[in-house]
């Protein structure tokens, strides 16, 4: 326990790093995932902008990357990260790789939630003369907003989980802190302190997501 | 000039399975809908009526034939142009299809936003529509807080927002209880009367046609098998399918099974007399029977009022001398239709 107090400031830095990685990944991966999910949804046969080629290509690409274990993906994408953001190690390199992985996962969640929107509401909007892009923006996404928020909440918890691997490419965060100062130095109290803070983060995120979804769904 | 003119319109869908036959949903339909009509389209589910109505506002493209709305040919128009056409055609649905994420006023404002109205123009128009459908106090409610009838009234307000000339009602009352159905039908009548909106009503319920339609088309297997004035079709349906629909609201000639029951309970000859507006009155017929010294009672049937014109079938059990009965019936048959049960 004394050791934890000695490391106090580093503990909080690690906490901040976790939050930074989660927030940035959610922002970038969330936006790209939303876009991909909407494209998947709207290009499928019989949807608003059916396009078999786009749908099939995207479908195959997502199915290719989704099952790759993240720790291997992290290593595999490293050269690409170096090329695009100029750095292959550290928190930013993790955010880069994690954003890609998360956007594929998010695209599926977005697609699945958009499919549940009532075809009747879409037909009504079409009957009123609305075009496909307007319908996506003003009907499909708003109608699916509640489940979308719950989907994003689910994924953000997974993102917290994956930031724990940042240490693998020289990044920080609570996961790395737990391994470096706790596990490797035989200080279970430190491992548990990091673990508890992660649990608190996850609980807070889940609580906030549920609250927001309830508000949107008016239940 | 007809507001909607369908000429030899056919809609086919590709075969559901490979090697199967393509599905003909609408088969060579020719139909004119005049401005001011309340045009009923009746048929069993799968008869093609919902597809037909979706061809009129081009939600589905026709496979062949011509569809004119307000003098303009719709087939072959690009999607961008069709969207403008749809702004001038309102539509309401069986499941109401309100946007659950928007309030009542948000729902009604939606088509106005699509039409490019400014916020300042939208607010008074929405208020006016809410007033018309009697839901001014529900402006900020969400659809799930409304009853079925209220939801459909929002649907009607939303469909009328851009002042369309044509309103398509796809089974608009089928999810409602009988009382609410009447309320919604009354509202549609007002829409037709006060705004002169032409209405196409799709239904499988003959009483809906009876209460609001001026003209009716009966569909079966994708074809229009009979159409015309509601009074004509109701009082003298030409086709077995039409007859079946009419019999759901009009008690006509008793069926063989009903006849057997009537015979068991009533002595004498069973005779059905069919009255139509303009024929001899009931009083004249009954007077004739009484004069012949015949004893009769009314055992089956009824008189209906369609668009202010009466018709009906009355089945009588007549007791008396055969010769006198024959003479009286012959004299009545000269003026109204008489069918004697074998």
């Amino acid at each position: 326990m004394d050791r934890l107090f000695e490391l106090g400031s580093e503990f909080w830095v690690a906490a901040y790093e976790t939050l930074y990685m989660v927030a940035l990944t959610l922002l970038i991966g969330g936006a790209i995932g939303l876009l991909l999910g909407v494209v998947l949804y709207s290009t499928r046969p019989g949807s608003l902008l059916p396009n078999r080629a786009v749908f099939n290509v995207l479908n195959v690409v997502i199915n290719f990357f989704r099952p790759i274990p993240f720790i291997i993906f992290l290593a595999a994408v490293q050269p690409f990260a170096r090329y695009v953001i100029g750095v292959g190690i550290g928190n930013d390199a993790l955010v880069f790789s994690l954003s890609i992985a998360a956007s594929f996962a998010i695209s599926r969640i977005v697609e699945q939630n958009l499919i549940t929107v009532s075809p009747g509401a879409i037909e009504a909007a079409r009957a009123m003369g609305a075009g496909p892009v307007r319908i996506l923006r003003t009907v499909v996404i708003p109608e699916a907003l509640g489940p979308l928020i719950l989907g994003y909440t689910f994924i953000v918890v997974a993102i917290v989980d994956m930031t724990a691997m940042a240490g693998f490419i020289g990044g920080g965060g609570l996961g790395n802190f737990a391994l470096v100062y706790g596990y490797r130095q035989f200080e279970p109290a430190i491992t548990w302190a990091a673990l508890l803070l992660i649990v608190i983060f996850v609980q807070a995120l889940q609580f906030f997501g549920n609250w927001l979804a309830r508000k949107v769904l008016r239940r | 000039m007809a507001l909607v003119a369908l000429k030899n319109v056919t809609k086919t869908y590709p075969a559901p399975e490979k090697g199967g036959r393509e599905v003909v949903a609408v088969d060579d339909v020719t139909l004119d809908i005049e401005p001011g009509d309340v045009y009923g389209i009746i048929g069993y589910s799968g008869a093609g009526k919902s597809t037909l109505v979706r061809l009129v506002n081009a939600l589905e493209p026709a496979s062949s034939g011509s569809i004119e709305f307000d003098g303009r040919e719709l087939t072959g128009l690009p999607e961008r142009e069709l969207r403008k056409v749809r702004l001038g055609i309102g539509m309401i649905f069986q499941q109401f299809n309100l946007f659950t994420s928007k309030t009542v006023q948000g729902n009604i404002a939606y088509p106005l936003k699509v039409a490019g109205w400014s916020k300042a123009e939208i607010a008074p128009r929405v208020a006016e529509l809410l007033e018309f459908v009697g839901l001014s106090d529900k402006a900020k409610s969400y659809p799930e807080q409304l009853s079925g009838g209220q939801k459909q009234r929002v649907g009607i307000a939303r469909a009328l927002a851009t002042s369309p000339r044509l309103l398509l009602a796809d089974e608009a009352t089928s999810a409602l209880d009988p009382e609410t159905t009447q309320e919604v039908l009354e509202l549609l009548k007002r829409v037709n009367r006060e705004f002169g909106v032409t209405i196409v009503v799709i239904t499988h319920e003959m009483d809906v046609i009876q209460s609001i339609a001026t003209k009716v088309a009966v569909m079966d297997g994708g074809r229009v098998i009979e159409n015309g004035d509601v009074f004509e079709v109701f009082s003298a349906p030409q086709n077995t399918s039409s007859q079946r629909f009419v019999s759901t609201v009009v008690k006509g000639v008793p069926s063989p099974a009903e006849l057997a029951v009537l015979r068991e309970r009533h002595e004498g000859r069973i005779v059905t007399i069919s009255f139509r507006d303009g024929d001899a009155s009931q009083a004249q017929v009954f007077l004739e029977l009484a004069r012949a010294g015949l004893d009769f009672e009314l055992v089956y049937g009824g008189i209906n009022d369609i668009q202010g014109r009466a018709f009906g079938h009355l089945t009588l059990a007549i007791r008396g001398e055969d010769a006198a009965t024959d003479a009286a019936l012959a004299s009545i048959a000269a003026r109204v239709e008489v069918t004697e049960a074998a």
Side-chain angles (χ1 to χ4, degrees):
Chain A
M1 216 50 182
D2 297 343
R3 181 81 182 119
L4 183 59
F5 287 112
E6 277 171 46
L7 288 168
S9 69
E10 273 168 75
F11 181 70
W12 296 117
V13 167
Y16 163 77
E17 284 173 334
T18 291
L19 289 182
Y20 167 84
M21 288 185 283
V22 170
L24 206 56
T25 303
L26 185 63
L27 207 68
I28 300 168
I32 299 172
L34 181 66
L35 187 72
L36 290 178
V38 169
V39 171
L40 266 179
Y41 165 80
S42 51
T43 57
R44 65 168 43 231
S47 186
L48 284 159
L49 293 162
N51 186 323
R52 201 173 283 272
V54 173
F55 177 75
N56 285 343
V57 168
L58 202 53
N59 212 10
V60 168
V61 168
I62 292 171
N63 283 348
F64 178 83
F65 284 108
R66 279 246 295 141
I68 301 174
F70 183 62
I71 198 152
I72 300 169
F73 187 72
L74 205 49
V77 172
Q78 197 181 37
F80 188 46
R82 213 172 265 138
Y83 179 75
V84 176
I85 61 166
V87 51
I89 56 166
N91 294 339
D92 288 334
L94 179 107
V95 168
F96 179 83
S97 307
L98 188 48
S99 293
I100 296 173
S103 60
F104 288 141
I106 289 170
S107 67
R108 282 291 180 220
I109 286 174
V110 169
E111 182 198 20
Q112 278 159 18
N113 285 315
L114 297 189
I115 286 172
T116 63
V117 171
S118 137
I122 295 166
E123 187 179 45
R126 284 188 67 212
M128 287 179 244
V133 176
R134 179 194 286 270
I135 293 175
L136 286 171
R137 192 167 48 81
T138 60
V139 176
V140 175
I141 293 176
E143 292 287 299
L145 197 57
L148 274 178
I149 290 171
L150 292 176
Y152 269 87
T153 307
F154 173 81
I155 214 74
V156 80
V157 171
I159 289 173
V160 172
D161 169 5
M162 289 190 279
T163 58
M165 295 177 207
F168 180 62
I169 54 164
L174 285 168
N176 183 57
F177 185 87
L179 290 176
V180 171
Y181 297 104
Y183 179 68
R184 290 192 195 135
Q185 300 191 6
F186 303 99
E187 294 273 6
I190 288 181
T191 309
W192 275 90
L195 184 151
L196 281 176
L197 194 56
I198 290 174
V199 170
I200 290 168
F201 281 167
V202 168
Q203 292 292 334
L205 285 166
Q206 188 70 50
F207 182 83
F208 176 72
N210 289 351
W211 173 81
L212 202 61
R214 260 205 313 278
K215 204 170 147 71
V216 166
L217 291 169
R218 300 179 297 280
R219 299 196 180 113
Chain B
M1 191 186 65
L3 183 63
V4 179
L6 305 176
K7 275 191 207 76
N8 308 109
V9 175
T10 295
K11 173 70 183 178
T12 55
Y13 292 103
E17 299 146 38
K18 259 209 170 107
R21 283 235 302 263
E22 62 178 13
V23 179
V24 183
V26 171
D27 189 4
D28 195 25
V29 167
T30 297
L31 207 61
D32 276 355
I33 296 167
E34 302 293 333
D37 276 351
V38 177
Y39 210 116
I41 297 177
I42 191 160
Y44 296 108
S45 50
K49 33 190 212 310
S50 282
T51 306
L52 184 69
V53 83
R54 278 162 181 74
L55 296 174
V56 172
N57 63 356
L59 284 179
E60 304 262 4
S63 306
S64 67
S66 139
I67 300 164
E68 276 181 28
F69 173 69
D70 209 5
R72 188 167 183 213
E73 179 61 51
L74 299 188
T75 48
L77 276 188
E79 178 64 22
R80 197 168 285 277
E81 286 300 310
L82 288 176
R83 278 184 226 153
K84 286 184 200 152
V85 173
R86 289 187 199 121
L87 281 172
I89 304 177
M91 189 168 189
I92 56 175
F93 307 86
Q94 177 170 7
Q95 296 304 331
F96 324 120
N97 292 353
L98 300 182
F99 305 127
T100 56
S101 56
K102 296 177 183 20
T103 58
V104 165
Q105 60 184 14
N107 268 278
I108 300 173
Y110 190 84
L112 298 171
K113 285 185 187 156
V114 174
W117 290 36
S118 74
K119 268 196 178 141
E121 295 167 313
I122 290 176
R125 177 66 180 151
V126 170
E128 186 184 2
L129 288 157
L130 280 170
E131 175 82 43
F132 177 74
V133 299
L135 289 173
S136 298
D137 55 328
K138 300 283 185 196
K140 293 192 164 57
S141 301
Y142 281 91
E144 77 265 16
Q145 296 164 315
L146 305 179
S147 69
Q150 291 172 329
K151 282 181 194 167
Q152 196 57 291
R153 283 193 272 158
V154 175
I156 291 170
R158 185 175 69 171
L160 294 178
T162 54
S163 307
R165 297 191 59 197
L166 176 67
L167 177 65
L168 307 173
D170 183 14
E171 297 276 9
T173 58
S174 300
L176 302 174
D177 61 56
E179 199 177 320
T180 317
T181 294
Q182 280 313 314
E183 266 175 48
V184 168
L185 293 179
E186 283 306 317
L187 183 60
L188 290 177
K189 273 189 211 173
R190 277 178 60 209
V191 168
N192 176 250
R193 215 170 39 225
E194 293 176 27
F195 303 139
V197 175
T198 306
I199 303 181
V200 176
V201 178
I202 300 276
T203 184
H204 64 277
E205 294 166 326
M206 204 59 174
D207 48 348
V208 169
I209 304 276
Q210 184 179 12
S211 62
I212 69 165
T214 53
K215 293 199 185 127
V216 63
V218 182
M219 281 192 82
D220 195 11
R223 290 175 160 272
V224 169
I225 51 169
E226 186 163 347
N227 67 318
D229 212 60
V230 167
F231 182 83
E232 300 302 325
V233 174
F234 268 67
S235 57
Q238 298 303 309
N239 190 288
T240 47
S241 187
S242 320
Q243 282 162 4
R244 248 185 311 174
F245 274 117
V246 170
S247 72
T248 61
V249 287
V250 174
K251 280 204 161 185
V253 181
S255 70
E258 286 164 330
L259 203 57
V261 175
L262 291 176
R263 281 208 192 290
E264 218 167 86
R265 292 173 44 202
H266 303 280
E267 288 171 39
R269 292 162 64 172
I270 307 274
V271 174
T272 301
I273 301 173
S274 303
F275 295 93
R276 263 167 66 107
D277 200 35
D279 293 343
S281 73
Q282 293 173 54
Q284 287 171 298
V285 169
F286 293 143
L287 192 62
E288 194 92 41
L289 293 169
R291 267 206 207 111
L294 299 169
D295 183 14
F296 63 91
E297 72 184 306
L298 182 54
V299 294
Y300 186 89
I303 298 294
N304 303 273
D305 186 287
I306 304 276
Q307 308 291 315
R309 297 167 71 187
F311 76 94
H313 309 272
L314 298 177
T315 300
L316 309 174
I318 303 173
R319 285 184 298 272
E321 243 182 81
D322 259 353
T325 310
D326 283 337
L329 287 179
S331 139
I332 293 167
R335 279 181 278 169
V336 295
E337 199 189 320
V338 174
T339 326
E340 178 156 13

